[in-house]
Amino acid sequence: MTTLSIPALLRRVPLFESLSEAQAKSLADSLEKVKFKRSDCLIEAGGHSDSLFIILSGEVRVVIIGDAGKEAVLATLGAGECVGEMGLLDNAPHDATVIAQTPVDVLLLNRQAFHNSINSNPALGVAVMRSLVGRLRLANQKIASLALVSVYGRVAQHLISEATANPSGELLIQKKLSPVALSRVLGASRETIGQTLKTLENQTFIERMQSGQFKINPQVLQNRSELELQIPLNVHQVNRSLMQQATVH
């Protein structure tokens, strides 16, 4: 198996794909490869960090933790995504905590190298701005969903966004549907989420398959008023990446 060099790994990350080979190599000395175990804290709300976290493998969850220890999940981020760039730009304390959901490999890029890269590569600066604008739009959509859409609608929309299409065009969810995990993301109690999942299964919106996967049938709910916001039926519009970003310092 071929092991990629750090510059090659960096250029595979969408945020840094505009870098030339020479620019990527010049950053290599400023990058540190770090491993985190499951449940390790990468970023703590209220703290400061001097590095951009570039995720190579694994998943992290971005959360706000209440006084009683209850988590509200803002996003789940995976390979090829970055976290911590806002703090590098404004030097403000982090708004959220980032926790390893699985074992995670990251590249750490220090503040000065990050700023130098933006100054020397306008395309990188534009990519950073687009990333931040995308996260702001998603944050606005989440606020609107919490305010205007019922729990029923939020659960259905979230399940569609988590699904991926197989070669036959079927929408499948690979992950276990945990009411506890969904309650953290969707702002509803575990009991309400559990009841909603049962209702959606009874309506054949969710179908358990022998493989252990869940098949999603969005056409079942196409005309239901409870959704209030339209569910996208185009498979290309249910790209998982739209749900993996949220505003994070």
Side-chain angles (χ1 to χ4, degrees):
M1 181 181 294
T2 302
T3 301
L4 294 175
S5 65
I6 286 183
L9 288 171
L10 186 64
R11 293 181 69 198
R12 288 194 168 198
V13 175
L15 191 63
F16 294 95
E17 62 187 4
S18 65
L19 295 180
S20 67
E21 185 175 350
Q23 288 171 325
K25 286 182 178 179
S26 71
L27 277 180
D29 291 339
S30 302
L31 289 165
E32 179 184 3
K33 193 172 181 179
V34 179
K35 294 180 178 290
F36 291 93
K37 295 180 294 185
R38 184 177 182 274
S39 300
D40 279 354
C41 181
L42 286 69
I43 292 174
E44 187 172 3
H48 291 81
S49 63
D50 290 322
S51 298
L52 175 71
F53 293 74
I54 305 165
I55 303 171
L56 298 178
S57 65
E59 286 190 344
V60 303
R61 66 181 184 274
V62 183
V63 301
I64 293 176
I65 302 176
D67 294 336
K70 184 177 180 180
E71 290 185 3
V73 178
L74 302 180
T76 301
L77 305 178
E81 297 184 283
C82 302
V83 66
E85 66 270 38
M86 290 180 66
L88 295 185
L89 292 172
D90 65 7
N91 202 32
H94 296 298
D95 292 329
T97 296
V98 180
I99 300 171
Q101 191 140 293
T102 66
V104 176
D105 290 338
V106 304
L107 290 176
L108 298 183
L109 178 63
N110 67 59
R111 180 190 302 274
Q112 189 58 55
F114 178 68
H115 285 187
N116 290 343
S117 297
I118 290 177
N119 291 334
S120 63
N121 186 350
L124 176 58
V126 172
V128 171
M129 287 190 290
R130 284 177 176 167
S131 174
L132 296 178
V133 168
R135 293 183 180 188
L136 179 59
R137 289 187 187 279
L138 287 169
N140 288 341
Q141 290 171 11
K142 187 162 188 176
I143 292 170
S145 177
L146 289 172
L148 302 174
V149 182
S150 66
V151 173
Y152 183 98
R154 296 205 299 273
V155 172
Q157 289 175 334
H158 181 76
L159 294 179
I160 288 179
S161 71
E162 286 290 307
T164 54
N166 67 9
S168 301
E170 296 175 318
L171 293 180
L172 302 177
I173 293 180
Q174 310 289 344
K175 295 181 178 180
K176 178 182 178 182
L177 296 181
S178 165
V180 175
L182 290 174
S183 69
R184 293 170 179 167
V185 175
L186 300 175
S189 70
R190 177 182 58 187
E191 292 76 16
T192 300
I193 295 292
Q195 291 169 1
T196 303
L197 288 173
K198 287 182 180 179
T199 298
L200 290 170
E201 190 168 358
N202 289 338
Q203 293 171 341
T204 69
F205 175 77
I206 306 170
E207 183 180 343
R208 295 175 188 265
M209 304 182 70
Q210 290 183 347
S211 62
Q213 298 174 318
F214 289 88
K215 179 182 175 182
I216 303 298
N217 301 305
Q219 66 278 3
V220 171
L221 304 184
Q222 186 172 4
N223 298 316
R224 291 190 67 91
S225 61
E226 292 95 330
L227 297 184
E228 295 159 12
L229 296 181
Q230 183 181 2
I231 287 181
L233 298 181
N234 186 330
V235 169
H236 299 291
Q237 291 178 302
V238 294
N239 191 317
R240 186 175 183 274
S241 65
L242 294 179
M243 296 297 296
Q244 289 184 315
Q245 301 180 44
T247 303
V248 182
H249 266 293

